[in-house]
């Protein structure tokens, strides 16, 4: 039976909250997951870049996925999909992460290309990696293209299309690269009923929808999930003028959020919604709302005000 692609809609790449001693703050993280679910997102991405995946060991990853799945199920959100980051430097380790994620309640695996030996990662090697992973993966796979965390590796539309056509378990991609043309080429070549190409930043949410995005997976949804859902509603309604106006707000806020780092994202959430602290695991730092510049705070505040009215 062919794997089913993720549902169309807004997905939040969930931050992982930590206590002062750098242990996982499960209470804050689960409160955050609940707020996202209550807001109407169709899924969460756990242990992606915003979730500080490289800073979590195997046991922590398993415990976090299981805790989120169980909490969502207990709240009645059994339909909410979990995409879990499983990328590693080798096929063997990646497949192990995928197996553990499935056992813990994940629906999909989000996989970065291996980036330790950047110079060796040509298109052929990268495609071979994904084919080898897909051949034995226990979960359907989304290719994660994010040059900013892979030493500049930027997977082409040609490679993504070839991989999707080669293995039915490769059912989507997240394009944090911001290349709308790449998204357009992928969405117009691969069948929409079986492949989900996602834009990966709020900064180009509306252009991504025009280019065939399956919704959005965006860090700013940690702050304003309802606002993203509203933009999607306006797009589907055909109210382009209102959608453009809201996209402008999101673009300014997303640009501001990109300057504060992961700890800053958590600080913003903590300040506006009352749980967690702005702490990343070292070498990432600590942030508070007071440590952020006024221009950053004001751009994000504008979106928070919209969020709290929805």
């Amino acid at each position: 039976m062919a794997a089913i692609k993720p549902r169309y809609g807004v997905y939040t790449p969930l931050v992982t909250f930590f206590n002062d001693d750098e242990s996982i703050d499960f209470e804050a993280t689960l409160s955050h997951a609940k707020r996202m679910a209550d807001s109407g997102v169709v899924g969460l991405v756990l242990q992606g870049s915003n979730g500080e995946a490289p800073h979590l060991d195997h046991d922590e990853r398993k415990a976090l996925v299981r805790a989120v799945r169980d909490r969502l199920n207990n709240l009645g959100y059994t339909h909410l999909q979990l995409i879990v980051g499983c990328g590693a430097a080798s096929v063997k380790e990646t497949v192990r992460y995928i197996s553990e994620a499935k056992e813990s309640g994940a629906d999909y695996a989000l996989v970065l290309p291996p980036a330790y030996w950047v110079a060796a990662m040509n298109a052929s090697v990268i495609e071979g990696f994904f084919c080898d992973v897909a051949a034995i993966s226990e979960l359907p796979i989304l290719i994660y293209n994010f040059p900013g965390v892979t030493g500049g590796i930027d997977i082409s539309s040609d490679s993504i299309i070839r991989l999707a056509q080669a293995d039915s378990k490769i059912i989507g991609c997240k394009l944090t690269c911001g290349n709308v043309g790449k998204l357009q080429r992928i969405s117009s070549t691969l069948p929409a009923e079986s492949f989900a190409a996602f834009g990966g930043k709020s900064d180009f949410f509306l252009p991504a929808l025009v280019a065939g995005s399956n919704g959005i997976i965006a860090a700013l949804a940690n702050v304003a999930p309802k606002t993203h859902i509203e933009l999607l509603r306006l797009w589907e309604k055909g109210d382009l003028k209102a959608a453009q106006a809201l996209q402008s707000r999101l673009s300014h806020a997303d640009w501001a959020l990109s300057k504060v780092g992961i700890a800053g994202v958590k600080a913003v959430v903590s300040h506006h919604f009352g749980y967690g602290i702005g702490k990343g695991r070292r070498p990432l730092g600590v942030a508070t709302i007071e440590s952020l510049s006024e221009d950053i705070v004001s751009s994000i505040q504008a979106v928070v005000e919209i969020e709290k009215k929805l």
Side-chain angles (χ1 to χ4, degrees):
M1 182 177 177
I4 299 173
K5 73 166 193 175
R7 288 194 296 273
Y8 178 83
V10 174
Y11 291 73
T12 303
L14 214 70
V15 293
T16 304
F17 286 99
F18 296 112
N19 296 304
D20 285 327
D21 64 358
E22 296 192 9
S23 61
I24 295 176
D25 185 343
F26 282 94
E27 181 179 354
T29 305
L30 293 174
S31 293
H32 191 44
K34 179 181 184 300
R35 183 169 73 87
M36 296 300 112
D38 289 345
S39 297
V41 302
V42 299
L44 302 176
V45 177
L46 304 178
Q47 296 156 24
S49 304
N50 285 278
E52 295 182 56
H55 300 165
L56 303 176
D57 63 31
H58 282 270
D59 288 339
E60 289 175 322
R61 288 182 179 216
K62 290 187 289 184
L64 189 58
V65 175
R66 175 46 58 195
V68 171
R69 181 74 275 167
D70 287 349
R71 177 63 60 88
L72 293 173
N73 288 350
N74 290 338
L75 292 169
Y77 293 115
T78 56
H79 61 284
L80 197 145
Q81 297 183 313
L82 294 185
I83 301 171
V84 176
C86 297
S90 68
V91 170
K92 181 178 180 180
E93 187 77 350
T94 301
V95 170
R96 181 183 172 193
Y97 277 132
I98 293 173
S99 178
E100 292 171 348
K102 181 178 186 295
E103 180 183 347
S104 302
D107 299 295
Y108 300 94
L110 180 66
V111 180
L112 284 164
Y116 187 86
W117 302 106
V118 173
M121 293 300 111
N122 57 39
S124 177
V125 172
I126 290 170
E127 289 178 36
F129 166 82
F130 279 104
C131 283
D132 289 345
V133 169
I136 48 178
S137 173
E138 296 178 38
L139 288 173
I141 292 168
L142 287 87
I143 297 167
Y144 188 8
N145 190 51
F146 189 3
V149 297
T150 55
I153 293 172
D154 190 5
I155 307 172
S156 71
S157 55
D158 292 340
S159 287
I160 292 171
I161 290 166
R162 279 194 293 264
L163 286 165
Q165 292 171 336
D167 197 306
S168 62
K169 273 192 282 188
I170 298 175
I171 47 72
C173 61
K174 180 193 177 191
L175 302 180
T176 309
C177 55
N179 189 329
V180 179
K182 180 184 296 185
L183 177 57
Q184 183 76 71
R185 290 189 294 276
I186 293 167
S187 69
S188 62
T189 302
L190 299 172
E193 61 271 15
S194 60
F195 191 88
F198 286 98
K201 283 178 65 68
S202 308
D203 191 40
F204 61 100
F205 185 7
L206 184 57
L209 291 173
V210 174
S213 183
N214 194 61
I216 196 74
I217 302 173
L220 186 59
N222 280 285
V223 178
K226 293 179 183 178
T227 309
H228 289 75
I229 294 167
E230 175 65 7
L231 190 147
L232 190 60
R233 186 191 70 81
L234 292 169
W235 162 251
E236 292 175 330
K237 181 184 174 184
D239 191 345
L240 185 57
K241 185 175 181 180
Q244 287 174 321
L246 189 53
Q247 176 61 63
S248 178
R249 296 280 192 168
L250 289 176
S251 292
H252 284 288
D254 195 46
W255 179 240
L257 201 69
S258 72
K259 300 175 184 178
V260 304
I262 294 169
V265 175
K266 289 187 267 193
V268 169
V269 171
S270 175
H271 174 75
H272 288 291
F273 301 99
Y275 51 81
I277 58 174
K279 185 175 185 64
R281 270 191 176 164
R282 290 171 290 178
L284 299 185
V286 179
T288 63
I289 200 73
E290 292 78 18
S291 68
L292 307 180
S293 67
E294 176 56 34
D295 62 320
I296 287 174
V297 171
S298 61
S299 293
I300 296 170
Q301 177 68 36
V303 167
V304 171
E305 289 174 0
I306 295 170
E307 180 75 10
K308 292 188 173 182
K309 292 177 182 176
L310 291 171

